[in-house]
Amino acid sequence: AQTVTQSQPEMSVQEAETVTLSCTYDTSESNYYLFWYKQPPSRQMILVIRQEAYKQQNATENRFSVNFQKAAKSFSLKISDSQLGDTAMYFCAFMKEGYHYQLIWGAGTKLIIKP
Amino acid sequence: DAGVTQSPTHLIKTRGQQVTLRCSPISGHKSVSWYQQVLGQGPQFIFQYYEKEERGRGNFPDRFSARQFPNYSSELNVNALLLGDSALYLCASTGTTGSTEAFFGQGTRLTVV
């Protein structure tokens, strides 16, 4: 069975700083997808970034980038130039190839951006 | 375009009762997935439906059931409610069964007393 672990329950940084959220996962699959989702107080899950396991290049989306280490089964999210609107819960999620859209989620990291 | 809509947004039920939650996917989306998110935890996968057929089921008891209608909207039913069923129930829709991007609704907050 696959598992996703987020070891940082809460983090806080000053506005404009860079912050990295950690995620590790366990799987015996070779083809899969990894995601970072943001859940603000409005409760709606918003996709931040996704990574296909077969791609060696790390995904980037504007201020958001990932460090995908397949052998280490690590998938961290880096937020550059953090903004107050980045304050939210962040969830790491795993999806097996062929099992769309059956996500396995981590417990989440609460990120607080301070002014 | 309207996003994924879920109804109701909040509801309170008594132990032992039954509840039906509803989800309307984005127009053109044929796949709907349901998740349970207990307070302070990550979501847990409950069901996935595509073209009105169940494509996946998570580790939930038979008290949980779902269906998808010809217009691709979906209902999640929970019978014999327990206090532990109190959670945020999230619905996500995707365009095709092979899509890797899903869009979530704002969820239904269920409180069982």
Side-chain angles (χ1 to χ4, degrees), chain B residues 71-108:
Chain B
N71 66 354
Y72 303 113
S73 67
S74 179
E75 287 183 350
L76 175 69
N77 296 286
V78 187
N79 294 322
L81 285 167
L82 304 174
L83 295 179
D85 295 331
S86 295
L88 178 69
Y89 288 84
L90 295 168
C91 173
S93 79
T94 54
T96 67
T97 190
S99 173
T100 60
E101 181 165 10
F103 298 84
F104 283 81
Q106 290 190 298
T108 294

Side-chain angles (χ1 to χ4, degrees), chain B residues 24-99:
Chain B
S24 294
I26 290 172
S27 178
H29 282 195
K30 299 180 179 179
S31 176
V32 169
S33 299
W34 287 95
Y35 294 86
Q36 180 196 64
Q37 186 179 15
V38 173
L39 189 63
Q41 298 181 18
Q44 298 287 323
F45 169 71
I46 311 176
F47 284 110
Q48 188 210 1
Y49 276 79
Y50 178 73
E51 287 280 18
K52 302 178 288 293
E53 291 186 1
E54 182 182 303
R55 292 297 185 94
R57 182 184 183 120
N59 188 24
F60 279 80
D62 292 342
R63 299 185 296 107
F64 289 76
S65 63
R67 56 180 175 169
Q68 187 176 33
F69 299 97
N71 66 354
Y72 303 113
S73 67
S74 179
E75 287 183 350
L76 175 69
N77 296 286
V78 187
N79 294 322
L81 285 167
L82 304 174
L83 295 179
D85 295 331
S86 295
L88 178 69
Y89 288 84
L90 295 168
C91 173
S93 79
T94 54
T96 67
T97 190
S99 173

Side-chain angles (χ1 to χ4, degrees), chain A residues 35-106:
Chain A
F35 305 83
W36 279 98
Y37 276 89
K38 168 184 177 181
Q39 187 178 41
S42 66
R43 310 183 320 203
Q44 186 171 17
M45 286 287 187
I46 301 167
L47 177 64
V48 175
I49 198 165
R50 67 186 145 194
Q51 175 80 43
E52 294 88 342
Y54 63 86
K55 289 187 178 179
Q56 292 186 331
Q57 186 173 5
N58 289 325
T60 61
E61 288 286 345
N62 301 314
R63 298 183 294 109
F64 300 87
S65 61
V66 298
N67 184 3
F68 173 49
Q69 302 290 327
K70 190 172 183 179
K73 295 180 182 176
S74 171
F75 183 62
S76 61
L77 173 69
K78 185 172 81 171
I79 305 174
S80 303
D81 186 27
S82 57
Q83 301 174 359
L84 297 178
D86 295 333
T87 293
M89 286 292 295
Y90 285 80
F91 292 94
C92 178
F94 171 98
M95 183 173 76
K96 284 197 301 185
E97 175 73 37
Y99 288 81
H100 307 200
Y101 212 81
Q102 301 173 26
L103 292 165
I104 298 166
W105 302 76

Side-chain angles (χ1 to χ4, degrees), chain B residues 10-27:
Chain B
H10 299 83
L11 75 164
I12 300 173
K13 290 287 188 177
T14 303
R15 277 177 297 175
Q17 286 188 318
Q18 176 265 343
V19 68
T20 298
L21 311 181
R22 295 175 176 83
C23 173
S24 294
I26 290 172
S27 178

